[in-house]
Amino acid sequence: MPHVLLIEDDRSVRDGMELVLRRHGHRVDAAGTGEEGLGLLAHRDGGGIEIVVLDLMLPGLDGFEVCRRIRARSTMPIIMLTARGDDLDVVSGLEAGADDYVVKPVTARVLEARIRAALRRAEPAPRTDPVETYEGLVIDRSGLTVTRNGTPLRLPPTELRLLLELSAAPGRVFSREQLLELVWEHDFLGDSRLVDAAVGRLRAKIETVAARPRYIQTVRGFGYRFGPL
């Protein structure tokens, strides 16, 4: 029974989404402001909250800042709610650390599918040879940990799953559409912004110089592949 924190300022929308989530078996904590939502997360270390569904357009502390503050201390999945598919809003939210987004009004089926997929990303299947070393980068597939030059990295589930999928086949070029299906489990028209933003966040953590990546390389016109060079 996954525990969801819903942060949405519109009471009617919040009540409707909370009812839908509860009907699908989730435990739900609901907040009308970013400050209230952060307070719920801070109380007793979140009280078992496993995923956040976060509206971007909040009064006071907006969703972008709430996302940044959650991501600074937690790797739990964050799904953004946006009233429109505005490129700037979506990209800004993804850069702030969100794992996925849905455009309101959202159907119960779509929201439930996104939540389930986000939670599954935290549990990739281990391989026969679980520990792989690529120069200073060590990936432990069974323990779901990554270290760089001996320093453990805190990777949210989406970034971890992306790294695991890419590194499972070094040298293979993955299209953005393939990565959307493998990591996000999206089976509709691809949204490359999700992939590009996650790659950018991951590079900032595993690369010495993110602008000159050695591990995750862009293959112009095709997608991404795992090195290292």
Side-chain angles (χ1 to χ4, degrees):
M1 189 182 293
H3 192 167
V4 180
L5 172 59
L6 170 63
I7 307 177
E8 164 63 62
D9 67 307
D10 186 314
R11 183 168 183 172
S12 63
V13 174
R14 184 172 69 249
D15 289 348
M17 294 183 71
E18 182 176 359
L19 179 62
V20 164
L21 290 169
R22 290 188 186 279
R23 283 178 174 172
H24 279 84
H26 299 289
R27 289 179 292 158
V28 183
D29 283 340
T33 67
E35 291 86 349
E36 184 184 357
L38 290 172
L40 289 171
L41 280 173
H43 181 58
R44 292 182 291 108
D45 197 26
I49 291 169
E50 299 167 72
I51 186 168
V52 178
V53 178
L54 171 65
D55 185 27
L56 288 183
M57 298 295 107
L58 296 171
L61 200 65
D62 67 24
F64 303 104
E65 182 59 26
V66 173
C67 186
R68 281 189 284 268
R69 293 191 186 188
I70 295 173
R71 189 53 76 228
R73 67 188 187 193
S74 173
T75 61
M76 74 171 59
I78 301 171
I79 298 177
M80 298 184 301
L81 296 172
T82 178
R84 59 188 189 278
D86 182 87
D87 283 353
L88 182 59
D89 282 355
V90 171
V91 171
S92 296
L94 294 172
E95 289 178 346
D99 298 278
D100 203 349
Y101 78 95
V102 291
V103 178
K104 296 190 293 185
V106 57
T107 67
R109 180 183 62 81
V110 169
L111 181 59
E112 174 67 11
R114 298 296 183 86
I115 289 173
R116 296 290 181 181
L119 292 171
R120 281 194 295 270
R121 288 196 285 274
E123 302 176 352
R127 288 176 52 182
T128 305
D129 182 14
V131 180
E132 301 164 2
T133 302
Y134 302 96
E135 298 179 3
L137 189 69
V138 179
I139 302 171
D140 183 342
R141 292 181 177 272
S142 60
L144 299 181
T145 61
V146 180
T147 60
R148 180 177 175 272
N149 297 329
T151 301
L153 301 179
R154 296 176 66 239
L155 299 179
T158 297
E159 295 168 32
L160 176 59
R161 182 65 177 268
L162 177 62
L163 178 60
L164 292 175
E165 293 291 355
L166 286 168
S167 62
R172 175 185 169 185
V173 178
F174 290 85
S175 70
R176 289 171 174 84
E177 289 74 18
Q178 288 173 318
L179 291 172
L180 275 167
E181 186 172 353
L182 288 168
V183 178
W184 285 267
E185 301 181 27
H186 287 189
D187 57 1
F188 52 89
L189 290 176
D191 187 341
S192 63
R193 294 172 296 191
L194 290 169
V195 180
D196 295 341
V199 167
R201 296 195 307 264
L202 184 57
R203 279 174 171 166
K205 296 169 185 174
I206 70 172
E207 304 285 0
T208 303
V209 181
R212 296 196 298 274
R214 300 179 62 250
Y215 295 109
I216 301 179
Q217 303 136 31
T218 301
V219 180
R220 194 173 300 278
F222 291 95
Y224 297 101
R225 69 181 169 202
F226 183 82
L229 288 175

